[in-house]
Amino acid sequence: MTPEAAAAVADAHRREWAFVLSAAVRVTRDIDLAEECVQDAYARALTAWSAQGVPASPGAWLTTVARNRALDLLRRDATMRRSLPLLLEDQVEPGPDETPAARAGDDRLRLIFTCCHPAMALQAQVALTLRLLCGLTTAEVARAFLVSEPTMAARLTRAKKKIAAARIPYRVPPPEALPGRIDAVLTVVHLLFTTGHTAPAGESVVRRDLVERSLDLARMLRVLLPDDADVAGLLALILLTDARAATRVAGDGRLLTLDEQDRTRWDRPAIAEGVALVREALRRRPPGRFALMAAIAAVHSEAPTWDDTDWREVLALYDLLVCVWPSPVVALNRAVALGFVHGPARGLRELDSLAGEPQLAGYGYLAASRADFLRRLGRIAEARTAYEEALLLTENAAERRFLAERLRGLRP
């Protein structure tokens, strides 16, 4: 195996996994079998690309190998009769004017709605889609849910079995059924974006492939449901947050906080599009969670400087969000906003009130937020301990460097 082939396979896994798996499911109608065929295709690529060179279109190569492997297994093992009942929808043949890109997008929508079927619990829907559609490892999905890897592995196994037992169809629901199915899909796309925006582990802050995939899916859903306020809100949130992508890391790889970023380099067309979508999403009463999160992102995006940030507006939006979507992470973000409005001592008290939340026990951002408030209060010894705790709970290399720099900067 050559280093070039290994790097190309890793890149293809990040960029092409969803396309390849969706195409394999189209053939097998069996998610487990499709996943096996795709994994085999990637394994073969390591050998073939080392010997023959990386193909001009890695995704097409992988898709062909995975589909051929699936057909071989179906013929040899006579599994067609067993797998067809698992996903009931008939094979969907491409129309005469359908391009490969359009077909790939359609396959991804079918797969995401299959994984997000209401027969499964919401968390199982989200976890399964992140694993299958987005190619995240079980460990990465577990970190996104703040649970252990064995817990997530068991949850994924149960979800796959549920698809088979419930004979869930592989299709996009009819228009009249879409509104009841969309929340789980939006949750998946949002988690996909957050995982890409700040990667849980690795050297890079951003996994650009996941960010682009989430934006692509959000735009697809916008076409599918143009009048849905939650879809508009999610697309706005992604656009407004990702508009700052170019300024999040300095040239030397150092992570830059909002107050350090060069706002003249933010993507102003994306911000304008996002703000327009926020206004549209907020017309619904009461506003949904994605509209409120997008509104918070809009406040930051429209502030000319850090000092011009309207923290009272941010706090008011978090007050609404914590009612619409009560979660420990939202409560943590609200506590940080509270600290910017009423001072670090008040924010610290609010953070400390969340210390008993089980979901935040291994969440590095709680320790990092406490450390920042303690630093600003001059409680250096306690800040040092909090930064050390945050370092223990953080696996992303760029974030670890940022925390270590803050720790070294503490003065006795």
Side-chain angles (χ1 to χ4, degrees):
M1 178 178 65
T2 65
E4 293 79 7
V9 170
D11 184 65
H13 184 273
R14 288 192 299 270
R15 295 180 181 277
E16 308 290 353
W17 173 272
F19 298 98
V20 181
L21 181 63
S22 300
V25 173
R26 179 192 279 260
V27 173
T28 64
R29 329 307 285 177
D30 181 319
I31 287 176
D32 273 333
L33 181 59
E35 193 172 13
E36 176 187 332
C37 294
V38 173
Q39 289 170 344
D40 183 66
Y42 276 94
R44 291 188 187 188
L46 286 171
T47 303
W49 296 0
S50 295
Q52 304 164 13
V54 178
S57 178
W61 190 99
L62 290 161
T63 299
T64 300
V65 172
R67 286 169 63 93
N68 289 342
R69 175 63 173 163
L71 290 169
D72 287 344
L73 288 176
L74 290 171
R75 293 189 191 103
R76 187 188 67 196
D77 300 326
T79 57
M80 184 68 83
R81 288 186 299 276
R82 293 200 301 274
S83 64
L84 274 176
L86 302 185
L87 293 165
L88 296 178
E89 189 72 3
D90 292 337
Q91 286 276 7
V92 181
E93 296 300 328
D97 300 323
E98 187 178 6
T99 65
R103 186 160 65 252
D106 194 41
D107 279 341
R108 283 185 296 164
L109 282 176
R110 287 195 190 96
L111 184 56
I112 198 171
F113 275 104
T114 298
C115 293
C116 296
H117 196 278
M120 294 184 290
L122 178 60
Q123 286 197 333
Q125 297 172 30
V126 176
L128 187 61
T129 306
L130 289 174
R131 175 70 188 95
L132 296 179
L133 190 85
C134 307
L136 301 190
T137 65
T138 302
E140 287 174 322
V141 179
R143 281 194 289 270
F145 276 88
L146 307 179
V147 299
S148 69
E149 187 173 349
T151 297
M152 182 51 65
R155 190 177 295 175
L156 289 167
T157 299
R158 288 195 300 269
K160 290 180 183 179
K161 290 180 177 178
K162 182 69 174 181
I163 287 178
R167 304 175 69 185
I168 291 172
Y170 176 56
R171 65 185 179 198
V172 176
E176 64 273 13
L178 280 174
R181 296 278 301 278
I182 197 63
D183 186 67
V185 175
L186 294 178
T187 301
V188 167
V189 177
H190 179 233
L191 263 177
L192 173 61
F193 173 71
T194 57
T195 303
H197 180 69
T198 304
E203 286 295 321
S204 300
V205 176
V206 178
R207 281 191 59 177
R208 195 69 224 165
D209 57 315
L210 297 186
V211 171
E212 290 171 358
R213 197 172 295 167
S214 63
L215 181 57
D216 186 25
L217 286 169
R219 289 199 183 280
M220 282 188 201
L221 292 168
R222 174 72 172 166
V223 171
L224 200 62
L225 291 168
D227 299 321
D228 190 290
D230 290 325
V231 172
L234 177 60
L235 179 55
L237 175 62
I238 293 173
L239 287 167
L240 290 165
T241 307
D242 192 47
R244 306 191 294 266
T247 62
R248 294 181 63 211
V249 179
D252 59 1
R254 184 171 57 90
L255 193 65
L256 298 177
T257 53
L258 267 177
D259 59 311
E260 299 174 299
Q261 293 177 18
D262 179 1
R263 298 182 179 224
T264 63
R265 295 177 57 210
W266 287 0
D267 187 341
R268 290 298 161 185
I271 290 172
E273 183 183 359
V275 169
L277 286 165
V278 169
R279 294 194 181 104
E280 178 183 331
L282 288 175
R283 292 194 191 108
R284 192 185 78 179
R285 291 290 182 270
R289 57 179 169 134
F290 294 115
L292 291 170
M293 285 190 286
I296 292 167
V299 173
H300 289 294
S301 297
E302 293 188 303
T305 68
W306 168 258
D307 292 334
D308 291 319
T309 303
D310 189 343
W311 284 105
R312 292 188 180 277
E313 176 72 8
V314 170
L315 180 59
L317 288 166
Y318 271 121
D319 286 339
L320 291 173
L321 181 58
V322 82
C323 295
V324 171
W325 191 33
S327 81
V329 174
V330 172
L332 187 156
N333 288 326
R334 179 188 172 277
V336 172
L338 189 74
F340 280 109
V341 174
H342 297 294
R346 178 77 178 276
L348 182 63
R349 287 197 300 273
E350 195 74 12
L351 286 175
D352 287 341
S353 71
L354 302 173
E357 288 286 351
Q359 281 187 285
L360 297 179
Y363 196 53
Y365 293 124
L366 174 58
S369 300
R370 290 191 72 256
D372 186 61
F373 280 147
L374 288 164
R375 176 182 62 85
R376 290 164 57 194
L377 288 167
R379 293 160 61 175
I380 302 303
E382 294 170 89
R384 188 180 304 279
T385 300
Y387 276 125
E388 289 170 348
E389 180 186 353
L391 275 165
L392 288 173
L393 297 173
T394 301
E395 295 186 49
N396 181 280
E399 290 187 315
R400 288 183 59 81
R401 288 192 295 270
F402 171 82
L403 293 169
E405 183 181 341
R406 283 290 172 93
L407 181 58
R408 289 191 299 270
L410 293 177
R411 295 289 181 265

